[in-house]
């Protein structure tokens, strides 16, 4: 107790109120809450007194993080406005050091200490303290220290220190290397930045934290290299960029331009030119070519502009300077290089396309066209083309290269070499027979052009020789069989051979060619016709007929149709009516196989033959068969021809049966014209009742709105030949037909399409439509009566009395009933009764108005 009283008395700032707290902390020195209460009670005491309490507290409780943190935070706060030379900074540093003896595992203490040291700007001490913190703390908490460490070295402006610290940091966080690269760019350490980026682009496991692709990193690397070539010492720039060219084929053009730009910036212009030339000769896409060519052109233009400016400057200094001539010559040389580059562009572009696809036939033709003024280069290009292009992989027609090659020699008068080229071309394994046939045909045409007739025939004989074991016809398109063994199946080749023999050879040689074509089944219907025409010209009629028959064995309808027509016409012209049974047999064979599309012409030719050389009855039988055999679209026209021929040969009355048959067989759309024609016939014959029956039958298929011509015809017929009853019957039929077609038209829209309507709405609409229809019919009846003329008005009025189809009809016996007429009182009409009483009410109202 005496000791405690002595300690209390030794404190000069101690108040009487503090005695209680002092006794508590002395009585419980290891209790945190008593010290904490004491500090809170002395929160407004001078800082020295509080520091003394803190020191006594942490001395008794050195492991209390709460006490140490509050103590150190308070000391740091008190130093915020003091000079860096003040002793409080040293005392605070000492306090931090004492705290770290027991708090060295607490990252917050280290961070506060480091932030406090950073304010004092003691670089070495700060760096060493950071290192102590990293050694003291576990690695799981290093990220908190490194964040502050990186910020410190970036602000310290000591590049060497920052680089070393970053290298250590990247061993822990290798994914943060892009931050290091950004810092290196900021401090312009280009060599180190290029090294780091080169490592990144070569790493297969690196993933950019900024979301950049490998090519984006390459672009950053190229930008650093090309803009700062002198600063790059540790990298082989040429090897790095060329590796990128191999690695990124889709960006080859930009990478080549980057390599050339590096050499231009470094002042090695000759090397830059070589790079551009190498790029133009290696890129394989038009896009990359355009990029490189444009960059190359800009480079040459900039070099030319620089030389011209230099030449102008030297001319202003001294016009007689000998060095000016050298610069002028260099300007001319640069101008010549630029012009040469522009002239070479089509050739360079063609080379790109051929590198892209060396089997592109069209591009090889364009390349030859570029050398048309240089025969030696053209021949070299042709030779390279035919040696490079594989017919199996070619794009285009590969045989055209050989043909153009031979024609090139031909144009220069070297037929010997042209024949050698053609001979080599015939041994190439083309994809199709047509390519090889085109080569042979071109060879023969060349010989004909130069009047070498015998050689042309020899070429065609050599081409048209069938192999010992001729493949079947189906092997013509079989790629497994060599094209040379399938050549004899080429119709194109045989057709040219036949034309040459027909023009230059004998009849026997020509017949042999045609017969070979027929045997090999390489003919077309036109070739058969040509062969038959050749035989007819030379009076070999039976042989010509046999040629037709051989052709008919090879072809079926519709391809055989022209052969049949020509055969039958030639046979009729030759024998006329002498061999009727043979002709009829031929016709029967033809019509037995013919299609509906070609039947009309064949049957008409058959019927014409029977009319001219046979029996009329047989001709009519042929026409009757034709009406059923032709296409339905042509059936109406065929019946018309049939009726016309029957009327001409047997009289018009005989045609009635044909009309009846036509009406039964024809479709509805062709029925009206036929019925009108039939009715006109009966009218001419005076058969009025028969004509009226035809009109009545046809009316059911004719809508008054769509087929107005039919109803006009019937009306004209009734006006001319009918009476009141027949006219009334026509109107009744017309009204019934109108109702029939109106129902058909209403079904899809008003009945089927509106099922959702209620029954009441449907009934109301139907009543309204019926009322409208009746009004329309009554109006038409009135107009018809007015148009009939004065003589027929009475008939029309009478017909109006029978207009209702539902009216009850009385028997004829009821006509004798006498109906008494009673006068209507005058008062009923009133003023309307003035005038002639014999006139109707409607007429009186009209006159009054």
């Amino acid at each position: 107790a005496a000791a405690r009283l002595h300690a209390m008395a030794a404190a000069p700032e101690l108040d009487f109120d503090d005695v209680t707290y002092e006794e508590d902390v002395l009585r419980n020195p290891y209790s945190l809450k008593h010290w904490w209460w004491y500090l809170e009670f002395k929160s407004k005491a001078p800082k020295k007194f509080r520091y003394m309490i803190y020191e006594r507290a942490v001395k008794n409780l050195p492991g209390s993080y709460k006490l140490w943190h509050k103590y150190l935070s308070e000391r740091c706060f008190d130093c915020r406005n003091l000079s860096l030379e003040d002793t409080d900074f040293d005392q605070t540093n000492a306090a931090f050091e004492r705290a770290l003896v027991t708090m060295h595992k607490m990252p917050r203490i280290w961070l506060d200490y480091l932030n406090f040291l950073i304010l004092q700007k003691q670089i070495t001490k700060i760096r060493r303290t950071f290192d102590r913190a990293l050694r003291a703390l576990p690695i799981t908490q290093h990220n908190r220290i490194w964040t502050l460490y990186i910020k410190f070295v970036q602000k310290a402006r000591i590049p060497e220190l920052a680089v070393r610290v970053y290298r250590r940091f990247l061993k822990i966080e290798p994914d943060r290397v892009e931050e290091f690269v950004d810092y290196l760019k900021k401090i312009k350490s280009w060599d180190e930045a290029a090294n780091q980026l080169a490592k990144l682009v070569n790493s297969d496991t690196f993933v950019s934290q900024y979301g950049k692709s490998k090519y984006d990193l390459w672009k950053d690397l190229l930008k650093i290299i090309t803009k700062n070539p002198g600063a790059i010492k540790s990298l082989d720039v040429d090897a790095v960029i060329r590796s990128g060219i191999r690695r990124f084929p889709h960006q080859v053009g930009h990478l080549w331009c980057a390599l050339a730009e590096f050499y231009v910036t470094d002042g090695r212009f000759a090397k830059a030119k070589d790079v551009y030339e190498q790029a133009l000769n290696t890129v394989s896409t038009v896009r990359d070519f355009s990029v490189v060519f444009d960059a190359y052109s800009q480079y040459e233009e900039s070099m030319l502009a620089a030389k011209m400016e230099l030449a102008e400057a030297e001319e202003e200094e001294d016009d007689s300077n000998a060095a000016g001539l050298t610069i002028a010559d260099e300007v001319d040389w640069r101008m010549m290089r630029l012009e040469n580059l522009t002239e070479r562009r089509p050739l360079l572009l063609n080379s790109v396309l051929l590198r892209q696809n060396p089997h592109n036939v069209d591009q090889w033709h364009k390349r030859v066209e570029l050398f048309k003024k240089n025969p030696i280069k053209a021949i070299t290009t042709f030779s390279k083309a035919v040696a490079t292009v594989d017919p199996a992989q070619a794009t285009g027609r590969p045989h055209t290269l050989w043909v153009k090659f031979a024609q090139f020699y031909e144009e220069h008068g070297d037929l010997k070499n042209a024949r050698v080229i053609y001979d080599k071309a015939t041994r190439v394994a083309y994809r199709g027979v047509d390519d090889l046939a085109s080569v042979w045909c071109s060879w023969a045409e060349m010989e004909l052009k130069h009047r070498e007739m015998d050689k042309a025939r020899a070429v065609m004989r050599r081409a048209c020789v069938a192999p010992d074991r001729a493949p079947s016809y189906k092997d013509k398109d079989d790629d497994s069989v060599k094209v040379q063994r399938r050549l004899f199946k080429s119709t194109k080749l045989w057709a040219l051979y036949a034309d040459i023999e027909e023009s230059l050879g004998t009849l026997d040689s020509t017949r042999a060619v045609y017969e070979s074509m027929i045997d090999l089944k390489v003919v077309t219907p036109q070739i058969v016709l040509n062969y038959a025409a050749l035989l007819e010209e030379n009076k070999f009629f039976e042989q010509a007929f046999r040629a037709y028959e051989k052709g008919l064995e090879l072809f079926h309808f519709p391809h055989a149709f022209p052969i049949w027509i020509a055969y039958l016409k030639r046979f009729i012209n030759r024998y006329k009516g002498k061999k009727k049974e043979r002709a009829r047999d031929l016709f029967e064979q033809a019509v037995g196989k013919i299609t509906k599309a070609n039947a009309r012409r064949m049957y008409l030719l058959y019927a014409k033959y029977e009319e001219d050389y046979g029996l009329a009855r047989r001709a009519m039988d042929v026409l009757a068969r034709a009406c059923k055999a032709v296409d339905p679209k042509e059936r109406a026209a065929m019946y018309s021809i049939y009726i016309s021929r029957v009327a001409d040969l047997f009289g018009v009355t005989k045609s009635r049966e044909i009309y009846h048959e036509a009406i039964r067989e024809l479709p509805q759309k062709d029925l009206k014209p036929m019925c009108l024609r039939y009715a006109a016939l009966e009218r001419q014959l005076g058969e009025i009742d028969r004509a009226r029956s035809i009109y009545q039958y046809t009316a059911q298929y004719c809508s008054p709105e769509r087929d107005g011509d039919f109803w006009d015809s019937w009306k004209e017929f009734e006006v001319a030949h009918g009476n009141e009853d027949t006219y009334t019957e026509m109107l009744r039929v017309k009204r019934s037909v109108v109702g029939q077609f109106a129902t058909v038209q209403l079904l899809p829209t008003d009945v089927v399409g509106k099922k959702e309507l209620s029954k009441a709405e449907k009934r109301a609409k139907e009543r309204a439509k019926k009322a409208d229809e009746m009004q329309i019919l009554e109006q038409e009846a009135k107009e018809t009566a007015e148009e009939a003329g004065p003589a027929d008005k009475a008939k029309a009025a009478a017909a109006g009395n029978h207009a209702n189809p539902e009216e009850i009809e009385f028997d004829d016996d009821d006509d004798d009933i006498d109906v008494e007429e009673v006068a209507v009182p005058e008062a009923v009409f009133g003023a309307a009764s003035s005038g002639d009483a014999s006139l109707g009410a409607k007429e009186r109202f009209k006159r009054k108005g």
Side-chain angles (χ1 to χ4, degrees):
R4 286 197 299 269
L5 291 173
H6 179 74
M8 294 167 57
E13 296 87 356
L14 190 64
D15 296 333
F16 180 76
D17 295 335
D18 298 338
V19 174
T20 304
Y21 290 99
E22 284 289 341
E23 289 180 351
D24 287 340
V25 296
L26 290 175
R27 196 177 295 117
N28 301 292
Y30 304 110
S31 176
L32 175 62
K33 63 181 180 179
H34 291 89
W35 287 107
W36 199 262
W37 291 340
Y38 192 11
L39 288 169
E40 287 182 350
F41 175 73
K42 301 298 290 183
S43 60
K44 296 182 180 180
K47 63 180 181 178
K48 291 184 178 181
F49 186 78
R50 288 179 58 81
Y51 292 165
M52 182 192 69
I53 298 173
Y54 274 120
E55 289 291 342
R56 290 168 58 197
V58 296
K59 184 176 181 181
N60 289 288
L61 297 170
S64 176
Y65 168 77
K66 191 174 183 178
L67 276 175
W68 276 115
H69 183 264
K70 187 171 180 60
Y71 177 32
L72 297 174
S73 298
E74 190 170 329
R75 292 199 71 110
C76 293
F77 182 79
D78 293 338
C79 293
R80 67 187 187 281
N81 294 321
L82 299 179
S83 172
L84 294 178
E85 297 178 356
D86 196 295
T87 57
D88 283 357
F89 281 97
D90 295 333
Q91 293 174 4
T92 303
N93 291 341
F96 270 111
E97 291 292 341
R98 291 196 304 273
L100 289 174
V101 173
T102 56
M103 296 288 107
H104 58 278
K105 296 298 182 182
M106 297 297 174
R108 183 71 263 168
I109 304 297
W110 283 108
L111 290 174
D112 291 344
Y113 188 20
L114 291 169
N115 282 315
F116 186 68
L117 290 176
I118 290 172
L119 291 176
Q120 301 175 47
K121 301 180 181 179
Q122 299 179 15
I123 303 300
T124 302
K125 188 173 184 179
I126 294 170
R127 177 175 58 80
R128 291 175 179 175
T129 305
F130 269 114
D131 295 341
R132 288 170 54 200
L134 292 171
R135 287 195 298 268
L137 292 173
I139 194 170
T140 55
Q141 295 180 346
H142 281 195
N143 59 328
R144 301 179 67 180
I145 304 300
W146 277 116
T147 302
L148 183 60
Y149 204 175
I150 295 300
K151 290 181 179 179
F152 162 69
V153 297
Q154 288 180 348
K155 294 180 179 180
R157 298 182 182 179
I158 304 176
E160 184 177 357
L161 171 62
V163 170
R164 291 177 179 273
V165 170
Y166 261 114
R167 287 175 180 172
R168 292 171 54 195
F169 174 61
L170 293 178
K171 293 180 180 179
I172 304 298
E173 296 287 344
D175 294 336
R176 306 277 293 275
V177 66
E178 288 177 283
E179 297 180 10
F180 184 29
V181 173
D182 293 340
Y183 174 74
L184 292 173
K185 292 179 183 178
K186 185 177 180 181
I187 64 174
K188 298 183 180 180
S189 181
W190 305 116
D191 188 54
E192 182 66 23
N195 267 310
Q196 293 296 330
L197 284 173
K199 293 177 182 178
L200 292 184
V201 297
N202 291 325
S203 174
D204 297 331
T205 59
F206 176 75
V207 178
S208 173
Q209 62 179 355
Y210 298 151
K212 292 184 177 181
S213 64
K214 287 295 180 67
Y215 181 69
D216 293 332
L217 297 174
W218 263 100
K219 288 197 296 185
D220 293 341
L221 175 59
L222 293 177
K223 186 176 181 180
I224 292 174
I225 290 175
T226 54
K227 299 299 182 183
N228 308 280
I232 308 302
K233 304 297 183 181
S234 59
L235 287 179
D236 186 353
V237 177
D238 190 276
V240 169
I241 297 180
R242 289 181 186 275
S243 67
I245 293 172
R246 294 189 296 271
R247 189 170 182 177
F248 303 102
H250 59 289
Q251 296 292 344
V252 167
H254 295 286
L255 294 174
W256 277 113
C257 292
L259 180 58
E261 185 181 356
F262 167 76
Y263 285 119
V264 171
T265 309
D266 200 30
R268 290 183 278 179
F269 302 114
K271 188 66 175 178
K273 173 183 173 297
D274 294 340
V275 169
Y276 278 125
E277 289 291 340
Q278 184 180 1
L280 291 176
N281 292 321
T282 55
V283 295
S284 58
T285 64
V286 176
R287 186 190 65 175
D288 293 334
F289 171 80
S290 300
V291 171
V292 175
F293 187 85
D294 293 343
Y296 194 6
S297 300
Q298 292 177 3
Y299 162 72
E300 290 292 347
E301 290 172 0
S302 61
M303 293 297 295
L304 177 61
K307 292 297 181 182
M308 293 178 69
E309 291 178 1
L310 184 61
E312 291 176 359
E314 291 202 359
E315 286 179 0
E316 291 177 358
E317 293 177 1
D318 187 3
D319 293 339
S320 61
N321 189 359
L325 296 176
T326 304
I327 294 177
D329 292 341
E330 190 170 352
V331 169
D332 294 339
W333 178 65
R334 289 284 179 184
M335 184 72 73
M336 181 182 64
R337 280 181 54 176
L338 182 59
E339 293 176 355
N340 181 48
L341 178 63
T342 306
E343 292 174 357
R344 287 165 53 209
R345 190 181 190 282
L347 183 61
L348 293 171
L349 179 59
N350 179 263
S351 300
V352 171
L353 295 173
L354 286 177
R355 281 195 296 273
Q356 198 175 49
N357 181 12
H359 307 289
N360 192 326
V361 176
D362 293 337
Q363 292 302 325
W364 281 112
H365 282 303
K366 292 179 181 179
R367 190 173 187 84
V368 171
E369 189 67 20
L370 295 173
F371 293 125
K372 61 182 179 181
K373 295 182 180 179
N374 192 335
I376 296 177
K377 288 187 176 181
I379 292 173
T380 304
T381 304
F382 269 124
S383 301
K384 187 176 180 180
V386 297
T388 302
V389 175
D390 182 3
Q393 305 177 30
T395 302
R397 305 292 297 275
H399 74 279
T400 56
L401 288 172
W402 290 98
V403 172
K404 289 289 185 179
F405 195 4
Q407 290 176 352
F408 182 81
Y409 277 114
E410 179 190 354
E411 291 172 358
H412 289 80
D414 192 352
L415 294 182
K416 182 178 179 181
N417 280 325
R419 293 188 182 103
V420 171
I421 297 300
Y422 275 123
D423 185 63
K424 291 181 179 180
T426 58
R427 298 187 178 91
V428 177
Y430 300 104
R431 284 181 297 186
V433 174
D434 189 62
D435 293 346
L436 182 57
S438 298
V439 172
W440 283 105
C441 292
S442 179
W443 191 356
E445 289 169 357
M446 184 195 74
E447 299 293 356
L448 291 174
K449 188 188 299 184
H450 294 278
R451 305 292 180 182
E452 298 289 347
M453 309 303 179
D454 294 337
K455 290 184 179 180
R457 295 176 63 192
V459 168
M460 297 311 298
R461 279 196 299 271
R462 178 181 167 190
C464 295
V465 174
D468 297 335
R469 187 192 67 79
S472 61
Y473 189 76
K474 65 180 181 180
D475 292 337
K476 179 181 179 181
D477 298 322
D478 187 359
D479 295 337
S480 61
V481 181
K482 289 183 63 175
V483 69
Q484 282 75 13
R485 290 181 58 80
R486 294 180 280 146
L487 179 63
F488 72 98
K489 289 291 185 180
S490 173
T491 302
K492 175 181 178 180
L493 190 65
W494 279 101
L496 179 61
Y497 189 17
D499 290 343
I500 291 175
E501 287 297 334
E502 190 172 344
S503 301
L504 304 176
T506 62
L507 178 62
D508 293 338
S509 63
T510 306
R511 289 181 60 184
V513 172
Y514 277 115
E515 290 295 336
S516 299
M517 294 174 69
I518 293 174
D519 293 340
L520 294 172
K521 299 180 180 181
V522 294
V523 292
T524 62
Q526 186 60 49
I527 291 176
V528 173
L529 296 177
N530 294 342
Y531 182 28
L534 174 67
L535 294 174
E536 288 177 6
E537 289 176 2
N538 291 276
K539 309 301 181 182
F540 293 97
F541 296 104
E542 285 299 327
Q543 287 85 344
F545 297 153
R546 282 197 291 272
Y548 282 125
E549 291 173 357
K550 290 180 180 179
L552 292 173
E553 291 176 359
L554 298 177
F555 298 101
H556 303 285
F557 282 99
H559 305 294
F561 180 72
I563 301 177
W564 272 113
I565 293 295
Y567 185 14
L568 293 171
K569 286 185 176 180
R570 299 293 189 277
F571 187 86
I572 293 172
N573 292 337
R574 172 65 178 167
Y575 294 110
K576 300 188 183 301
K578 295 180 181 179
K579 296 186 178 183
K580 288 185 286 187
E581 293 303 323
R582 182 177 173 186
R584 286 170 180 159
D585 182 60
L586 291 175
F587 274 114
E588 290 297 332
Q589 291 182 36
V591 299
K593 302 175 182 178
I594 200 166
T595 59
K596 290 182 178 294
N598 305 122
R600 178 180 176 182
R601 187 177 176 188
M602 186 66 71
Y603 274 103
L604 289 176
L605 184 61
Y606 191 3
K608 183 70 170 60
Y609 175 77
E610 290 293 349
E611 284 187 25
D612 293 341
Y613 305 108
L615 300 175
R617 179 178 54 79
R618 293 182 65 91
M620 298 305 102
D621 291 341
V622 171
L623 290 176
R625 292 166 59 191
C627 291
K628 297 180 180 179
V630 297
D631 191 89
K633 297 179 181 179
E634 299 179 341
R635 190 164 293 168
M638 198 70 226
Y639 268 114
S640 298
I641 297 171
Y642 186 14
I643 291 170
S644 176
R645 300 310 304 152
V646 168
D648 291 344
L649 296 175
F650 300 103
V652 293
T653 57
K654 196 70 175 177
S655 62
R656 283 175 176 154
E657 298 177 1
I658 315 302
Y659 275 114
H660 291 168
E661 181 182 349
I663 292 172
R664 287 194 306 270
E665 298 294 335
L666 288 177
Q668 185 175 337
K669 64 183 182 65
D670 297 327
L671 194 59
K672 183 187 70 173
M674 186 62 67
C675 290
L676 287 175
R677 183 177 174 184
Y678 188 16
L681 173 64
E682 295 295 354
R683 185 177 177 183
Q684 291 176 1
L685 296 176
E687 297 289 347
I688 303 303
D689 293 338
R690 293 177 65 91
R692 185 176 289 110
S693 299
I694 295 170
Y695 277 116
Q696 291 175 348
Y697 173 80
T698 313
Q700 60 183 322
Y701 303 110
C702 299
S703 169
E705 296 180 358
R706 187 176 62 251
D707 303 305
D709 55 340
F710 169 79
W711 294 98
D712 292 341
S713 175
W714 193 2
K715 172 185 172 183
E716 186 270 334
F717 171 79
E718 292 297 348
V719 170
H721 302 287
N723 52 33
E724 180 180 350
D725 295 335
T726 58
Y727 194 86
T728 302
E729 179 65 17
M730 181 198 72
L731 294 178
R732 186 191 67 78
V733 172
K734 185 175 182 180
R735 286 193 295 272
S736 65
V737 171
V738 168
Q740 174 187 345
F741 277 92
T743 304
V744 172
Q745 292 175 359
L746 291 174
L747 274 175
T749 57
D750 293 276
V751 177
V752 179
K754 299 185 178 179
K755 290 182 179 180
E756 300 81 2
L757 296 176
S758 64
K759 293 182 179 180
E761 291 176 341
K762 290 183 179 178
R763 286 196 296 269
K765 288 190 176 183
E766 288 174 0
R767 286 196 298 271
K769 288 177 181 176
K770 287 181 179 179
D772 294 341
E773 291 170 6
M774 293 303 296
Q775 290 176 4
I776 293 170
L777 291 174
E778 290 174 1
Q779 184 66 26
E780 289 181 355
K782 291 177 181 179
E783 293 176 357
T784 303
E786 292 175 0
E787 293 174 359
D792 297 318
K793 284 185 178 180
K795 295 181 181 180
N801 295 331
H802 300 281
N804 188 0
E806 299 180 357
E807 182 181 2
I808 299 175
E809 298 181 0
F810 297 96
D811 297 334
D812 296 335
D813 297 337
D814 297 336
D815 295 337
D816 298 332
I817 298 175
D818 294 329
V819 179
E820 184 179 359
E821 295 183 359
V822 180
V824 179
E826 187 174 354
V828 173
F829 295 98
S833 63
S834 62
D836 191 354
S838 62
L839 297 175
K842 183 177 180 181
E843 187 65 27
R844 289 198 301 273
F845 274 109
K846 286 184 178 179
R847 291 190 179 186
K848 183 179 179 181

